[in-house]
């Protein structure tokens, strides 16, 4: 056995000079300067981290952000309320001052006092409406706005203090040079203390969970669990609460009544989805609402359509009422949907109808008609917007139209027309409606009148300098026609309405159709999807597809799941899904329209009637005389030029149309006894004697001269036209073919008869 190490494997230590003990001590003990540099580097790191964290607002935890946003929203509401209180007090003061002057014998008219009194009532109504609207919790956008404001304010403080600090430091140094060092000492001490505060060790905080606020007293028992248990949290911004990988092995679904925190809600949703083979893999943005829970869910495959298909089974898993699982697919995120689990009334806290004084709006202004299930307002303008409104019997169709009618009758530049061949139309708003037509004759005459007016306005716009669209004003008002129970109208009325839908938009002659169904069985033609504005309340699934499109149910449009009212329960009457609202994206969101008491509508209608209703502008009325009637409104003649089939409807003058519909005629248009009325009566008499329904101007004058030579013997054609115009018959109109003449001008018997 060898006793020596083989030289081949011997490792040789290189010759390295060994340091002496004094050198080792120097290396182990850094100098004071090095220690100061190292300490300053650590402090600077701490100060930088603390400063960045402060500038980013990370010290503002979610609960504080919610509290600040709530305070800001409350302050804003209080400021608006105080402003309205000042306005109301000012109105009271002006009225009291005017009343005192009137009682003192000064020249203050009764109309002025009435106007000031009306202003007092209007401002008090606004004040009462504002006081009745609760201040809702802040939204995610408002909470994020608080953070953004804090960041901007802190950045401004840093910038301002940096500039101001340079000035103060310069002044301190200048005084120190002149033998006055106190300011420099104070500044140095302040800087040192500030440095000490921000350079201490700092660990970036993690976002904490925020407990819910106290549950409202009206909250269903399901949601009254202690929110502080198990770290309950309210989501602020985009926040993933749980994904499917975090579920415990073997966990079973449980009902929603056992949920009290966002984590439990997320787990409950994921377990129920897994049990029903719904590919939800993530739950985020959980919020507890007075009516239940809301969250955002994401599917791993397909689309959220599967949630809609399985909503009934999920309701069973959650132990919720029918139609309590309400998914709303998000267009901007194809895989995601807002999931609402409803165990209460989502619209219980929705604000009521705001007071709108007579002539306080323009037809181009948006006005609120309801509230979404998420609390957002439903605001729209009907200026040039054709609409179709569908709801089954008990679906609240009348209340929907009344909410629309309430808005447009408050406009200073709009004429409201109400057509209904079966029901009561706008009902309690009747005083604010210019024409109410119920019979087939009235409805057909109204539709023909405004169809001809729309064609006249198309030729008139350029002359009035309006450009490509009619511009509404009190002098040239828009026309809004509500046509309820459209399927029950005559075929002629439907044909006239379809034509008006094609040409009325640019002329601000707008038609709003209402029906109990949206299929061709009700509308005869598939026009629903051709109309810009479409809304559907409680209905059948076929109506949903007919109005919104074949794939609309998959996209989340579910009005067929809404329940119509019964004799004792309003249920979902007045709730709608809607598309085509100007300025709003088309999203499958449920809205509830304002339910306005009949007494309120009657009061508003009376106020608007007292303020004065509008008539069409004279320029449009005059331009109608040069417009040909639709062919299907002309009479038919045989080969001998005899009337084979009379005209199904006559084009009336505005005064005649008002009389036909039992509406008040324009001021000063009454046909009183005198030569003008006698001429009309005699013209009708000679046409009836001749057995014709129309006559050219010259033959009619000749017939009148034969009828009463003493009265008409010396009357010329121009004088006769002037007399007929004074009677309200207007200028001679086109009569259709008479003999060899294709379209001579003259007067029609029925039009003259309506003047009487």
């Amino acid at each position: 056995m060898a006793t020596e190490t083989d030289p081949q494997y011997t490792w040789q230590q290189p010759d390295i000079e060994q340091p002496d003990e004094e050198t080792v001590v120097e290396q182990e003990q850094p100098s004071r300067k090095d220690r100061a540099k190292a300490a300053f580097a650590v402090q600077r790191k701490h100060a930088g981290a603390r400063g960045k964290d402060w500038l980013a607002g990370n010290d503002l935890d979610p609960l504080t952000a919610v509290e600040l946003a709530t305070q800001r929203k409350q302050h804003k509401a209080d400021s608006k309320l105080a402003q309205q209180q000042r306005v109301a007090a000012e109105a009271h003061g002006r009225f009291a001052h005017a009343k005192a002057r009137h009682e003192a014998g000064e020249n203050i008219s009764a109309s002025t006092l009435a106007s000031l009194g009306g202003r007092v009532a209007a401002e008090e109504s606004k004040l009462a409406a504002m006081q009745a609207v609760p201040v809702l919790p802040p939204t995610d956008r408002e909470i994020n706005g608080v953070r953004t404001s804090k960041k901007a304010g802190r950045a401004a403080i840093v910038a301002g203090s940096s500039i101001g600090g340079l000035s103060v430091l310069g002044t301190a140094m200048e005084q120190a040079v002149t033998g006055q060092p106190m300011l420099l000492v104070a500044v140095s001490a302040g800087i040192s203390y500030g440095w000490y505060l921000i350079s201490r060790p700092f660990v970036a905080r993690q976002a904490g969970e925020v407990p819910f606020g106290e549950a409202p007293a009206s909250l269903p028992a399901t949601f009254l669990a202690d929110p502080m248990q198990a770290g309950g949290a309210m989501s602020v911004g985009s926040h993933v609460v749980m994904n499917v990988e975090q579920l415990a092995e073997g966990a079973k679904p449980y009902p929603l009544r056992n949920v009290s925190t966002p984590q439990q809600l997320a787990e409950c949703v994921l377990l129920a989805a897994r049990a029903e083979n719904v590919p939800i893999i993530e739950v985020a943005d959980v919020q507890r609402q007075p009516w239940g829970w809301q969250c955002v869910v994401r599917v791993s495959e397909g689309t959220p359509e599967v949630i809609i298909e399985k909503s009934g089974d999920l309701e069973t898993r959650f132990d919720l009422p029918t139609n309590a699982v309400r998914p709303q697919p998000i267009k901007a995120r194809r895989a995601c949907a807002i999931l609402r689990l409803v165990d209460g009334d989502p619209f219980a806290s929705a604000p009521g109808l705001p007071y709108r004084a007579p002539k306080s709006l323009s037809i181009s202004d948006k006005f609120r008609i309801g509230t979404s299930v998420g609390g957002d307002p439903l605001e729209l303008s009907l200026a040039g917007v054709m609409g179709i409104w569908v709801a089954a019997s008990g679906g609240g169709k009348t209340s929907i139209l009344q909410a629309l009618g309430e808005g447009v009758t408050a406009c200073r530049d709009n004429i409201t027309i109400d057509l209904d061949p079966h029901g009561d139309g706008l009902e309690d708003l009747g005083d604010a409606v210019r024409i109410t037509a119920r019979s087939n004759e009235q409805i057909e005459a109204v539709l023909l009148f405004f169809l001809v007016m729309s064609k006249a306005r198309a030729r008139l716009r350029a002359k009035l300098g309006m450009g490509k669209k009619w511009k509404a004003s009190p002098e040239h008002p828009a026309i809004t026609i509500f046509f309820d129970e459209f399927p029950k109208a005559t075929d002629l009325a439907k044909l006239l309405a379809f034509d008006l839908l094609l040409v009325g938009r640019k002329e601000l002659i707008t038609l709003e159709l209402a029906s109990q169904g949206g299929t061709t069985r009700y509308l005869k033609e598939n026009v629903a999807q051709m109309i810009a504005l479409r809304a559907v309340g409680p209905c059948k699934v076929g109506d949903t597809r007919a109005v919104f499109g074949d794939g609309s149910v998959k996209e989340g449009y579910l009005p067929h799941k809404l329940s119509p009212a019964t004799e004792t329960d309003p249920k979902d009457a007045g709730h709608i899904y809607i598309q085509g609202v100007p300025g709003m994206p088309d999203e499958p969101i449920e809205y509830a329209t304002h339910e306005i008491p009949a007494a309120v509508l009657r009061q508003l209608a009376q106020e608007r009637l007292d303020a004065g209703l509008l008539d069409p502008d004279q320029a449009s009325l005059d331009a109608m005389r040069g417009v040909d009637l639709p062919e299907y409104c002309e009479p038919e003649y045989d080969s001998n030029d005899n009337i084979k089939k009379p005209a199904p409807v006559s084009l009336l003058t505005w005064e005649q149309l008002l009389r036909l519909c039992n509406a008040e005629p324009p001021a000063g248009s009454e046909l009183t006894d005198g030569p003008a009325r006698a001429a009309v009566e005699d013209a009708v008499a000679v046409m009836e004697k001749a057995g014709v329904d129309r006559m050219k101007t010259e033959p009619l004058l000749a017939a009148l001269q034969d009828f009463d030579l003493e009265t008409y013997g010396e009357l010329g054609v121009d004088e006769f036209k002037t007399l007929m115009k004074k009677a309200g018959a207007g200028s001679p109109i086109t009569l259709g073919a008479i003999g060899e003449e294709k379209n001579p001008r003259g007067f029609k018997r029925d039009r003259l008869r309506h003047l009487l």
Side-chain angles (χ1 to χ4, degrees):
M1 184 173 179
T3 59
E4 293 183 357
T5 304
D6 190 339
Q8 181 177 353
Y9 300 103
T10 301
W11 178 75
Q12 302 261 338
Q13 174 98 6
D15 292 335
I16 301 177
E17 183 178 356
Q18 298 295 325
D20 54 23
E21 292 183 6
E22 195 172 321
T23 304
V24 171
V25 171
E26 288 180 358
Q27 290 178 349
E28 293 178 353
Q29 299 294 330
S31 66
R32 179 176 297 178
K33 180 178 180 181
D34 292 337
R35 290 199 303 273
K37 285 183 178 180
F40 182 76
V42 173
Q43 289 178 336
R44 185 173 59 186
K45 182 179 179 181
H46 293 163
R50 190 181 297 277
K52 290 178 180 178
D53 185 75
W54 182 75
L55 285 173
N58 291 334
D59 61 320
L60 194 65
D61 60 82
L63 178 58
T64 303
V66 172
E67 291 175 349
L68 289 175
T70 303
Q71 293 171 4
R72 175 184 290 185
K73 195 167 185 178
Q74 184 66 53
H75 176 72
K76 187 176 180 180
D78 292 343
S79 298
K80 289 184 177 179
L81 187 61
Q83 174 65 21
Q84 184 57 34
Q85 289 172 337
R86 288 192 293 270
V87 172
E90 180 183 353
H92 276 287
R94 289 183 176 180
F95 177 71
H97 180 64
K99 186 177 180 181
R101 291 177 60 192
H102 177 73
E103 293 173 350
E106 296 187 30
N107 187 22
I108 301 296
S109 66
S111 61
T112 301
L113 285 176
S115 176
L116 292 173
R119 173 73 186 278
V120 169
E123 298 302 339
E124 285 291 347
S125 298
K126 291 181 183 179
L127 179 60
M130 292 176 65
Q131 290 172 334
V133 175
V135 180
L136 300 176
T139 63
D140 286 350
R141 179 178 296 180
E142 291 167 336
I143 296 171
N144 291 334
V146 168
R147 293 183 178 277
T148 303
S149 298
K150 282 288 184 182
K151 293 177 185 178
R154 291 175 176 182
I157 290 173
V158 171
S161 60
S162 299
I163 297 173
L166 291 175
S167 176
V168 172
L169 183 60
T171 302
M173 295 178 65
E174 181 179 352
Q175 290 187 5
V177 171
T178 58
Q180 303 177 33
M182 293 305 298
L183 181 58
L184 182 60
V185 171
V187 171
S188 300
I191 293 174
S192 299
Y193 185 67
W195 178 256
Y196 163 74
L197 288 178
I198 67 173
S199 63
R200 294 170 298 156
F202 171 74
V203 178
R205 59 183 56 79
Q206 301 296 323
E209 292 180 329
V210 187
F212 289 119
E214 185 176 354
S218 61
L219 202 65
T222 303
F223 307 108
L224 287 176
D226 183 3
M228 298 299 293
Q229 294 179 358
M234 180 171 63
S235 169
V236 179
S238 180
H239 174 55
V240 176
V241 176
M242 182 178 291
N243 59 51
V244 71
E245 295 177 356
Q246 296 173 284
L247 291 176
E249 187 70 27
K252 301 294 184 181
Y254 51 87
L256 200 66
R257 61 175 171 270
N258 296 341
V259 170
S260 61
T261 69
Q263 288 76 17
Q264 291 175 349
L265 183 279
E267 182 183 52
C268 182
V269 169
L270 289 170
L271 289 174
R274 185 172 65 180
E276 297 297 335
N277 295 318
V278 178
I280 296 176
I281 60 168
E282 184 178 278
V283 178
D285 290 348
V286 177
Q287 297 179 9
R288 190 169 74 170
Q289 303 286 354
W291 42 262
W293 291 93
Q294 175 177 306
C295 61
V296 174
V297 296
R298 182 168 67 88
V299 296
S300 59
E301 58 186 28
T303 68
E305 171 194 347
V306 66
I307 306 175
I308 299 171
E309 294 176 350
K310 292 281 189 175
S311 58
D313 296 328
L314 292 173
E315 287 161 1
T316 301
R317 295 285 182 181
F318 295 133
D319 193 16
L320 288 175
T322 301
N323 199 28
V325 174
R326 303 186 185 183
Q328 176 196 325
I330 303 174
K331 286 192 173 183
R333 299 178 65 189
R334 184 62 172 156
C336 297
I338 297 173
L339 182 63
R340 296 182 177 94
L341 307 178
V342 180
D343 194 15
D345 184 1
F347 304 100
S349 61
L353 175 76
Y355 173 76
R356 290 187 265 258
K359 301 186 177 182
S360 59
L361 298 177
S362 169
I363 191 63
S364 59
D365 293 337
K366 290 185 177 181
F367 57 92
R368 181 171 184 157
I369 66 166
T371 304
S372 78
V373 69
D376 297 319
L378 175 56
E379 297 176 324
L380 51 77
S381 166
L382 294 182
V385 181
M386 303 293 184
I388 177 88
W389 306 82
V390 174
S393 178
K397 182 162 50 63
T398 297
S399 65
I400 295 169
L401 293 183
Q402 286 178 336
L404 296 167
E406 189 281 325
V408 299
T409 55
C411 295
R412 57 185 170 270
D413 51 6
N414 178 72
I415 300 171
T416 304
I417 309 295
D418 177 17
L419 313 181
D420 189 340
H422 185 75
D424 293 328
L426 297 180
E427 294 183 347
D428 300 299
L429 278 171
D431 286 342
V433 173
R434 189 65 183 98
I435 287 182
T436 299
R438 295 290 179 260
S439 70
N440 292 333
E441 179 187 10
Q442 292 172 336
I443 291 172
E444 291 167 357
V446 168
L447 290 171
L448 176 61
F449 182 88
F450 287 110
L451 175 60
V452 173
M453 178 180 283
S454 69
K455 296 180 179 179
R457 282 186 168 185
R459 304 171 185 178
L460 186 61
R461 276 187 273 113
K463 295 180 181 179
L464 297 179
M466 291 184 178
K468 295 183 178 180
K469 294 181 181 179
W470 190 267
K471 295 181 180 178
S473 68
E475 295 74 28
H476 299 92
I479 315 292
T480 304
I481 304 172
F482 293 97
F483 196 164
D484 197 4
E485 298 296 351
F486 177 73
K488 299 184 183 300
T490 64
D491 290 340
L492 177 60
K494 292 176 182 177
L495 187 56
L496 290 166
F498 292 149
D499 278 356
L500 187 55
L501 286 172
L502 298 176
V503 299
R505 181 181 64 85
K506 290 185 178 180
E507 319 316 325
L508 290 190
I509 300 179
T510 303
L511 190 59
E512 304 298 324
L513 303 179
S515 170
Q516 293 189 21
T519 62
T520 55
R521 176 185 175 187
Y522 290 87
L523 302 179
K524 298 299 181 184
E525 295 186 33
N526 191 16
V527 299
Q529 295 181 38
M530 297 170 55
I531 299 176
L533 181 62
R534 304 179 296 277
V536 184
C539 65
K540 298 178 181 178
V541 67
D543 298 315
T544 302
R545 295 191 175 103
V547 177
F548 292 140
D550 293 338
S552 57
V553 176
K554 298 178 180 179
E555 295 171 2
Y557 289 93
L558 307 172
H560 50 280
K561 288 196 171 186
L562 301 175
S563 301
T566 63
E567 187 67 25
T568 57
D569 188 352
K571 294 192 175 180
D572 298 321
H575 293 206
I576 59 173
Y577 287 73
I578 192 167
Q579 289 182 350
V581 178
M584 282 179 52
D586 291 338
E587 296 284 358
I589 304 174
E590 180 185 346
Y591 293 91
T593 55
H594 289 308
E595 184 177 355
I596 312 171
V600 174
L601 288 175
R602 288 194 294 269
Q603 178 184 348
L604 293 173
Q606 185 61 50
E607 290 179 5
R608 294 164 189 181
L609 175 62
D610 294 342
L613 304 183
L614 298 178
D615 290 302
D617 55 290
Q618 192 60 45
S620 294
L621 296 176
D622 292 341
M624 291 173 63
R625 295 171 185 152
V627 177
D628 295 331
L629 297 180
E631 291 185 2
Y632 54 83
C633 292
E634 294 280 7
E636 295 182 12
Y637 296 88
D638 59 20
S639 58
N640 297 322
D641 293 331
N642 296 319
I643 293 179
K644 179 180 178 181
K645 184 177 181 182
V649 58
S650 297
L651 177 62
L652 307 180
T653 65
W654 178 242
E655 292 81 2
Q656 292 169 338
L657 188 64
L658 293 175
R659 289 190 179 92
L660 175 65
C661 299
N662 301 314
E664 288 293 326
S669 64
E670 294 81 2
L671 187 57
T672 58
D673 291 338
R677 181 180 181 89
V680 173
E681 291 176 344
D682 292 343
V684 171
V686 299
M687 287 188 195
E688 289 178 344
K689 183 178 179 181
V692 297
D693 67 341
R694 67 200 65 206
M695 290 184 72
K696 295 191 297 181
T697 306
E698 292 80 1
L700 177 58
L701 177 57
L704 286 171
Q705 290 171 341
D706 292 338
F707 180 77
D708 188 346
L709 183 60
E710 182 179 351
T711 302
Y712 304 104
E714 302 297 328
L715 201 65
V717 173
D718 291 338
E719 294 172 321
F720 176 60
K721 290 180 180 178
T722 301
L723 187 62
M724 296 298 282
K725 186 176 293 186
K726 183 178 179 181
S731 300
I733 62 173
T734 56
L735 301 177
I738 295 181
E740 296 180 358
E741 298 182 74
K742 293 184 177 180
N743 212 10
R745 304 182 75 85
F747 296 91
K748 293 184 177 181
R749 181 189 62 198
D750 291 341
R751 291 188 62 175
L752 296 178
R753 184 182 289 149
H754 282 299
L755 293 175
L756 306 175

